[in-house]
Amino acid sequence: MPTGENDPRLEKYRRMQRIRQFEAKAEAIHAQGEIPGALHTYAGMEASGVGCCMALRDDDYMVGTHRSHGHPIAKGAALRPLMAELLGKKTGICQGKGGSMHLSDFSVGSLGETSIVGSGGPVAAGAALGAKLQGLDRVALCFFGDGASSEGAIHEGMNLAAVWSLPAIFVCENNRFGMSTPTDKAVAGKNVADRAHGYGIPGVIVDGQDVDAVEDAVREAVDRARAGKGPTLIETKTYRYGDHAVNMGRELTPRGPEHEDWVARDPIMLYRARLIDSRVGADVLDAIDAAVSDEVTDALQFARDSAYPAFEEAFDHVFVDRLPIPEDVGKYA
Ligand SMILES: Cc1ncc(C[n+]2csc(CCOP(=O)(O)OP(=O)(O)O)c2C)c(N)n1
């Protein structure tokens, strides 16, 4: 097997490492007060996001959640504008106005994330409808959580996608918790994927710590969607390693005895072991780890060196007429 720069296996490993290291850096600087607002990290769930996005084309759409730094990175987004966005800088991917929970990166088909849990369902259905009406063979993939799985908007999106046979893939990332609530205390039925029967679409459960398994499942759903056969619901069984949000209190997530098993099934370590078994050199993987570390350091330096947006820019890119800015704005900053 080739192990050159373009080897897709190395790209999967690289993207998972990018997410893990980006999140670690973001968590560290949030503690220093450099990132305003809440920060929901994706560590532990990298195989889910990367497996999904590796099965997509660059021009396919993807819709995230409130926990969505990892999703655009998985889709291939550049780190500099993402990090700058977290710091609220003008060079951020949304010019500093989106922040951690409202970022989008159209350059990689990431239509955005919002803090409204479940809101991505209709957005993905709409994007899939747009692709269908334009005669494009693009698909739209919607990430949502186990908590979001009981939100009306998710059902509305899946229902419409099924009724109109839209090219959509709905991926429930079941990370065992919705804030502090274990999934089995809040979600009826054993598996979210079983709900697919209600829409007459395929429902698939996949090991969310196994990047190859996730990619295979999503490829099948993508093929089906591109062939005009409609949506699929996929549930990735995964786990979040951090707090619900950084510094929100570790005690908020009641870890059970299975916690250690999930830590032992770290998705990056599992994939690293698989690559080494298939004769990829540890030195090749170590070099990727080091290069990613440099990339993340560079992204943070870029973000720190960037300016904040000006006060008057607050009213750019909105649909209503701008309000007058009081004369003393900025005086007390
Ligand atoms: C409509 C709505 N309800 C409640 C909340 C508060 N809230 C924010 S994150 C969250 C938990 C979501 O859990 P899940 O969908 O499983 O995603 P996870 O945080 O586990 O990634 C809740 C209830 C919200 N932001 N939006």
Side-chain angles (χ1 to χ4, degrees), residues 66-67 115-117 145-148 151 175 177-179 240 244:
H66 57 287
R67 190 180 301 288
S115 58
I116 312 296
V117 169
D146 43 283
E151 285 287 344
N175 63 8
F177 301 101
M179 296 191 87
R240 97 169 123 74
H244 168 69

Side-chain angles (χ1 to χ4, degrees), residues 40-41 45 65-67 101 114-119 144-149 151 173-180 183 240 244:
H40 304 80
T41 58
M45 302 168 65
T65 69
H66 57 287
R67 190 180 301 288
M101 258 193 291
T114 82
S115 58
I116 312 296
V117 169
S119 60
F144 62 101
D146 43 283
S149 71
E151 285 287 344
E173 300 189 289
N174 183 347
N175 63 8
R176 327 308 280 181
F177 301 101
M179 296 191 87
S180 54
T183 311
R240 97 169 123 74
H244 168 69

